[in-house]
């Protein structure tokens, strides 16, 4: 069935050619038997019978075919032999970086180092600080307050469903109610009778229940309504059989004389009145009707009977139609079994070294008396300053860290054994409480002064928690072409990010006291460049440093020339600009395309060679209320900077030069002589020397 899609639409193979694979076949050419042997027209070197030419085009290495990623946006078509090589540079072969790192919250966010760093945030650009602020921003946007503080959430006021006002007149004629798309006559007319139809009494009781007991759960109501409506067919079938018997009785009575009709003119009216009061509770197939299982056993086969029990077993038990378990009197397997007395033999002797804990004692007199009591901080005599409002950021991060490291909340009920449970309580005093239902940490702390709450150092590997559910695990998540991914991972994650703590960027040894001095130690070996971090795009960038000679030449140009040749680069020919743009990296091309329409057209010429294509999914809404996700092919450049093969140590001064004038480096000058540690000897004790030690061993 599947192979039929790929069968050749032309005539079938000849009888001889179908089994012939010789390149030097000399069989004579006959109609419907064999044909001549030819060579491939694309010069791949294959020889075959002419009737196999279409079949060979599916395997020919020189056949021009579209890329394997053509459905994902790749526009290239090439020889089949170059498909594998093309996948390395295919613009649709996109790789997502899955590098992860952990960054834990700070124990003391008010340390002098973090305060001083935020004061000099715009003056000195630190890579570790910029990356930590970016991670903190993403972390606060993900953390939900409901998970840690469900008791501090605002109570959502559920709007009661609109209850329709029904007419209280009992004698309304022709009133009908729509139930599950079916019109049900409330007065037992030909529209379907009272079965499964909401009567006046039911609707009135429903209205009173809404007023007294609050709103009705719509989902449960619709579910029960659907279950009851499934039995409508059985009730209708019972009514149809009752109406047939009534018609037969009417035919029998009509065969009698007209004299009897006149004498019994009052009887049909009585019969019609009794029909409307037929007791359907003993004729239908609903679970709440008496004798339903007996009627089902006579009318349906065993398979349908078992399916009815499976679907309606709970309702049958609720309405008393069947027992939840087989009574002992009717159980032929376990009904006659007698309970066997169990004899316990205790042969284990408690060791003498075993000591019972107080919680394991079962004697009432030896246990400590406990009582249920609500505790708080009111009996601690704490002032308002000591027990004031708590920081939402610090408390939330602390609660999430407790969940990730220890696997439970700070205040959580923990069972000690099968009988005793430790119930823990924690009181929080937040100024912004109560919180909204879907409030995040970013919404709670909006408008406050910037404060660092996460550590500057990162962990690349950890075994302390499950990464798939960690709140403190951050993902790179950037997309690159397959030929760019190796350069990105090496330069960004291996060379820069993993070496920020002391190797790529070196901080003052007195940073714990509040010194914010830092210096970059590494530079690209081929040219001088500055590494910076873009928090908006969450990427590292490499900006080459312009030599002083070029800067001096640009400063000597007069002001009028600046105004006249302000956009001199755009005056160059289009071909020259395209050649210049070919030397730029992907990130620079993405920024150059934002300058003007001219440079956007220039960068567009390099999209197929340097860019990548992918799907952007957008949710489309229709007028009838439905929605659908539709993909759109989007071309873009990646965030990769120029490849750096090797790094070299820059000619930066030693850290000792900074310590000479560091304001946090306080020297202690000694004017009086003092004894060194090696010169100190306890009185009455001989110095332990290596020679004396060997002499003692002899």
């Amino acid at each position: 069935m599947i192979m039929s899609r790929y069968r050749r639409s032309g005539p079938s193979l000849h009888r001889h050619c179908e089994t012939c694979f010789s390149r030097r076949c000399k069989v004579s050419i006959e109609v419907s038997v064999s044909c001549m042997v030819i060579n491939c027209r694309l010069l791949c070197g294959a020889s075959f019978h002419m009737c196999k030419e279409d079949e060979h085009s599916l395997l020919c290495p020189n056949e021009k075919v579209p890329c394997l990623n053509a459905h994902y946006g790749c526009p290239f078509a090439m020889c089949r032999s170059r498909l594998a090589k093309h996948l390395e540079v295919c613009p649709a072969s996109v790789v997502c970086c899955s590098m992860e790192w952990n960054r834990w919250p700070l124990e003391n966010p008010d340390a002098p180092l973090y305060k001083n760093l935020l004061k000099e945030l715009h003056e000195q650009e630190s890579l570790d600080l910029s990356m930590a602020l970016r991670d903190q921003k993403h972390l606060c946007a993900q953390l939900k307050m409901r998970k840690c503080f469900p008791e501090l959430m605002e109570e959502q006021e559920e709007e009661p469903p609109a209850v329709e006002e029904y007419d209280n007149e009992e004698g309304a004629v022709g009133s009908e109610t729509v139930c599950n798309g079916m019109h049900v006559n409330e007065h037992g007319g030909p529209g379907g009778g009272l079965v499964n139809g909401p009567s006046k009494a039911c609707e009135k009781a429903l209205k009173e229940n809404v007023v007294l007991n609050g709103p009705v759960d719509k989902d449960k109501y619709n579910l029960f309504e659907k279950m009851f409506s499934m039995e409508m067919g059985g009730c209708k079938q019972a009514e149809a059989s009752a109406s047939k018997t009534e018609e037969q009785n009417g035919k029998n009575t009509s065969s009698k004389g007209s004299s009897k009709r006149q004498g019994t003119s009052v009887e049909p009216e009585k019969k019609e009145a009794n029909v409307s009061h037929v007791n359907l509770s003993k004729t239908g197939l609903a679970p709440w009707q008496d004798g339903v299982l007996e009627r089902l056993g006579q009318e349906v086969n065993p398979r349908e009977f078992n399916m009815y029990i499976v679907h309606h077993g709970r309702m049958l038990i609720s309405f008393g139609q069947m027992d939840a378990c087989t009574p002992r009197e009717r159980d032929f397997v376990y009904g006659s079994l007698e309970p066997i007395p169990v004899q316990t033999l205790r042969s284990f002797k408690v060791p003498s070294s075993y000591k019972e804990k107080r919680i394991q004692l079962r004697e009432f007199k030896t246990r400590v008396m406990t009582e249920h009591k609500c505790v708080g901080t009111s009996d601690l005599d704490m002032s308002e300053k000591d027990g004031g409002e708590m920081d939402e950021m610090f408390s939330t991060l602390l609660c999430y860290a407790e969940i990730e490291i220890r696997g439970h909340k700070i205040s959580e009920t923990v069972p000690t054994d099968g009988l005793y449970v430790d119930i823990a309580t924690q009181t929080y005093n937040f100024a912004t409480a109560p919180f909204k239902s879907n409030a995040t940490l970013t919404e709670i702390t909006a408008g406050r002064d910037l404060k660092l709450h996460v550590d500057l150092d990162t962990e690349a590997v950890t075994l302390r928690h499950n990464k798939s559910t960690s709140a403190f695990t951050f993902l790179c998540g950037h997309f690159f072409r397959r030929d760019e991914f190796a350069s990105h991972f090496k330069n960004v994650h291996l060379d820069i990010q993993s070496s920020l703590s002391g190797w790529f960027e070196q901080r003052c040894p007195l940073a714990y006291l509040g010194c914010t001095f830092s210096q970059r130690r590494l530079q690209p070996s081929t040219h001088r460049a500055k590494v910076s971090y873009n928090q908006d795009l969450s990427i590292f960038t490499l900006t080459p440093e312009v030599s002083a000679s070029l800067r001096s030449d640009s400063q000597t140009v007069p002001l009028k020339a600046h105004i006249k040749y302000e956009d001199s680069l755009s005056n160059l020919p289009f071909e020259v600009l395209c050649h210049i743009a070919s030397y730029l990296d992907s990130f620079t091309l993405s920024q150059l395309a934002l300058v003007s329409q001219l440079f956007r057209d220039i960068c567009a010429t390099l999209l197929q060679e340097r860019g990548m294509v992918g799907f952007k999914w957008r949710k489309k809404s229709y007028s009838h209320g439905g929605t659908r996700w539709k993909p759109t092919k989007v071309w873009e450049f990646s965030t990769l900077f120029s490849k750096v093969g090797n790094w070299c140590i820059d000619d930066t001064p030693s850290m000792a030069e900074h310590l000479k004038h560091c304001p946090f480096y306080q020297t202690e000058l000694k004017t009086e002589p003092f004894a060194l540690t090696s010169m100190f000897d306890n009185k009455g004790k001989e110095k332990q020397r290596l020679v004396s030690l060997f002499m003692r061993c002899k």
Side-chain angles (χ1 to χ4, degrees):
M1 197 68 171
I2 299 177
M3 295 299 295
S4 61
R5 301 178 184 176
Y6 305 98
R7 287 180 181 175
R8 193 168 43 85
S9 60
S12 59
L13 300 180
H14 298 141
R15 184 175 57 187
H16 166 75
C17 301
E18 189 172 1
T19 57
C20 179
F21 303 99
S22 176
R23 301 181 60 182
R24 300 178 179 84
C25 180
K26 298 181 179 179
V27 176
S28 58
I29 301 174
E30 298 181 10
V31 179
S32 70
V33 176
S34 64
C35 60
M36 63 181 299
V37 177
I38 61 174
N39 296 326
C40 178
R41 299 180 181 180
L42 298 177
L43 304 179
C44 70
S47 300
F48 44 83
H49 286 276
M50 184 181 296
C51 59
K52 295 182 179 180
E53 186 174 9
D54 295 340
E55 188 176 286
H56 172 72
S57 63
L58 302 176
L59 302 173
C60 181
N62 294 340
E63 184 75 19
K64 195 172 184 180
V65 294
C67 175
L68 296 177
N69 294 324
H71 296 287
Y72 300 102
C74 182
F76 292 104
M78 65 212 73
C79 296
R80 185 177 281 108
S81 58
R82 299 181 182 178
L83 285 177
K85 191 69 176 177
H86 166 72
L87 288 179
E88 299 178 3
V89 294
C90 179
S93 184
V94 181
V95 180
C96 179
C97 182
S98 59
M99 178 64 185
E100 294 180 348
W101 62 90
N102 301 324
R103 194 183 297 273
W104 300 100
L106 292 173
E107 297 180 1
N108 183 19
D110 297 328
L113 172 62
Y114 309 123
K115 289 184 176 181
N116 297 339
L117 284 175
L118 295 178
K119 291 179 182 178
E120 303 176 2
L121 180 61
H122 301 287
E123 300 176 3
Q124 183 180 3
E125 183 183 1
S126 301
L127 298 179
D128 53 356
L129 178 62
S130 301
M131 196 172 180
L133 291 176
R134 173 261 179 193
D135 292 346
Q136 177 177 310
K137 180 180 178 182
H138 284 251
L139 178 64
C140 294
Q142 295 176 358
L143 299 185
K144 300 287 186 180
M145 306 298 291
R146 175 178 291 276
K147 184 175 181 181
C148 290
F149 315 109
E151 68 279 0
L152 299 179
M153 295 289 113
E154 291 182 351
E155 296 182 359
Q156 296 182 357
E157 297 181 357
E158 297 182 359
E159 297 181 358
V163 181
E164 298 180 359
E165 297 183 358
Y166 301 100
D167 191 4
N168 294 328
E169 297 181 0
E170 297 290 341
V173 181
S175 60
E176 294 184 355
T177 305
V178 179
C179 178
N180 295 328
M182 301 179 65
H183 292 271
V184 181
N185 194 332
E186 296 181 358
H187 294 277
L194 294 172
V195 181
N196 286 342
S199 62
K200 290 289 185 181
C202 295
E203 293 169 354
K204 188 176 181 181
L206 176 61
K207 182 178 178 181
E208 293 177 355
N209 187 23
V210 172
V211 176
L212 297 177
N213 302 329
V216 181
D217 192 349
K218 283 187 175 182
D219 297 337
K220 291 184 178 180
Y221 179 79
N222 294 334
L223 179 61
F224 293 152
E225 189 69 22
K226 183 178 180 181
M227 294 171 59
F228 294 150
S229 62
M230 293 173 62
E231 307 302 330
M232 182 72 74
C235 298
K236 283 188 174 182
Q237 184 178 1
E239 292 179 5
S241 60
S243 61
K244 287 182 180 179
T245 55
E246 182 183 355
E247 291 177 359
Q248 292 178 1
N249 294 334
K251 290 180 180 179
N252 295 333
T253 55
S254 61
S255 60
K256 298 181 180 180
S258 59
S259 60
K260 291 185 179 181
R261 291 181 184 177
Q262 296 177 357
T264 59
S265 59
V266 186
E267 294 180 359
E269 297 179 358
K270 295 182 179 180
K271 291 182 179 180
E272 291 178 1
N274 294 332
V275 170
S276 60
H277 297 286
V278 175
N279 188 7
L280 299 178
S281 61
K282 297 183 179 181
T283 58
L285 301 178
W288 57 84
Q289 294 174 340
D290 297 335
V292 60
L293 295 180
E294 290 76 4
R295 290 190 295 275
L296 281 173
Q298 298 175 1
E299 297 179 7
V300 301
N301 52 28
R303 180 179 179 182
E304 295 178 353
F305 182 83
N306 294 334
M307 291 300 296
Y308 186 90
I309 296 296
V310 170
H311 289 289
H312 304 283
R314 181 174 296 181
M315 297 182 65
L316 291 170
I317 295 174
S318 301
F319 289 107
Q321 302 294 340
M322 61 182 296
D323 298 327
C325 56
T326 306
R328 184 175 180 180
E329 296 77 12
R330 290 185 292 171
D331 194 346
F332 63 95
V333 178
Y334 301 100
S336 59
L337 294 180
E338 296 292 338
I340 302 175
V342 179
Q343 299 179 359
T344 58
L345 178 62
R346 298 182 179 179
S347 59
F348 176 74
K349 295 182 179 181
V350 180
S352 58
S353 60
Y354 174 74
K355 295 182 180 180
E356 291 183 336
K357 296 182 181 180
R358 179 176 296 178
I359 198 173
Q360 295 173 344
L361 297 177
R362 298 295 181 264
E363 292 78 7
F364 179 77
K365 296 181 179 180
T366 57
R367 287 190 299 174
V368 178
M369 296 298 297
T370 59
E371 62 177 349
H372 294 280
K373 184 179 180 180
C374 297
V375 297
T377 57
S378 60
D379 56 343
L380 299 179
D381 297 334
M382 298 178 63
S383 61
E384 295 182 359
K385 183 178 180 181
D386 296 334
E389 297 175 352
M390 305 173 66
D391 187 5
E392 292 88 350
M393 176 81 76
F394 181 77
S395 302
T396 305
L397 294 180
L398 182 63
C399 291
Y400 272 93
E402 186 79 9
I403 296 174
E404 298 302 331
I405 296 177
R406 298 194 176 184
H408 60 82
K409 297 181 181 179
I410 294 178
S411 300
E412 188 176 19
T413 301
V414 179
T416 56
D417 56 11
L419 297 177
Y420 297 94
V421 177
D422 291 341
I423 301 177
T425 58
Q426 177 69 31
T427 304
Y428 298 98
N429 185 16
F430 296 138
T432 55
F435 308 118
K436 295 182 179 180
S437 58
N438 294 326
T440 60
L441 195 55
T442 302
E443 299 174 358
I444 300 300
T445 58
R448 300 184 183 180
D449 295 336
L450 183 61
K451 195 173 182 180
L452 185 63
H453 286 270
V454 293
D455 197 359
L456 295 177
D457 299 332
T458 60
E459 294 181 1
V461 179
T462 179
L463 299 176
R464 291 191 292 177
H465 67 288
N466 187 5
K467 276 193 174 184
S468 61
T469 59
S470 175
F472 300 97
T473 299
F474 301 91
L475 179 68
C476 177
H478 290 290
F479 292 90
F480 300 93
R481 291 162 54 107
R482 189 172 294 275
D483 56 338
E484 296 177 344
F485 177 72
S487 175
H488 159 77
F489 194 88
K490 178 182 180 298
N491 294 147
V492 173
H493 298 301
L494 295 183
D495 298 341
I496 300 177
Q497 185 176 350
S498 62
S499 305
L500 287 180
S501 57
W503 185 245
F504 195 92
E505 187 176 40
Q506 186 181 18
R507 287 197 172 275
C508 176
L510 302 177
Y512 67 96
L513 296 178
C515 182
T516 60
F517 176 79
S518 64
Q519 60 182 6
R520 311 277 173 82
R521 300 183 59 192
L522 298 181
Q523 286 283 340
S525 59
T526 56
H527 60 283
R528 294 190 60 83
K530 178 184 177 182
V531 179
S532 58
Y533 187 80
N534 191 331
Q535 296 188 29
D536 297 332
L537 300 177
S538 303
I539 59 171
F540 286 95
T541 58
L542 187 68
T543 306
E545 296 182 0
V546 182
S547 60
S549 59
L550 296 177
R551 291 181 180 178
S552 60
D553 294 342
S554 61
Q555 292 176 0
T556 56
V557 178
L559 181 61
K560 294 182 179 180
H562 270 293
I563 299 175
K564 184 177 181 180
Y565 302 100
E566 183 178 1
D567 194 15
S568 58
L569 184 63
S570 301
N571 297 330
L572 294 176
F574 187 83
E575 293 78 7
V576 176
L577 293 175
C578 292
H579 182 71
I580 296 174
S582 63
Y583 290 95
L584 302 178
D585 54 63
S586 298
F587 175 70
T588 308
L589 288 174
S590 64
Q591 302 302 308
L592 182 64
L594 303 177
V595 174
S596 63
Q597 184 64 36
L598 173 62
F599 288 105
R600 187 176 183 85
D601 297 338
I602 292 172
C603 295
T605 60
L606 300 173
L607 274 176
Q608 294 185 358
E609 180 183 355
R610 303 282 300 279
M612 57 183 181
V613 60
F615 285 151
K616 297 294 183 182
W617 294 85
R618 292 180 176 86
K619 191 174 183 180
K620 185 177 180 181
S621 302
Y622 296 93
S623 58
H624 55 77
T627 57
R628 183 182 180 185
W629 288 90
K630 299 191 67 175
T632 305
K633 295 179 182 178
V634 177
W635 285 85
E636 59 185 352
F637 292 100
S638 65
T639 57
L640 182 75
F641 56 79
S642 301
K643 182 179 179 180
V644 180
N646 296 311
W647 301 82
C648 63
I649 298 179
D650 195 13
D651 53 351
T652 55
S654 175
M655 189 59 67
E657 299 296 329
H658 162 72
L659 291 176
K660 292 179 181 180
H661 53 81
C662 179
F664 296 89
Y665 185 62
Q666 299 177 0
T667 59
E668 184 179 357
L669 299 177
K670 294 291 185 180
T671 57
E672 298 180 0
F674 60 94
L676 299 176
T677 306
S678 59
M679 298 172 59
F680 178 76
D681 187 13
N682 294 330
K683 294 182 179 181
K685 293 184 179 180
E686 183 183 358
K687 275 190 175 182
Q688 294 291 339
R689 295 181 180 179
L690 188 62
V691 179
S692 61
L693 182 63
F694 280 115
M695 294 297 294
R696 290 180 183 179
C697 295
K698 291 182 179 180

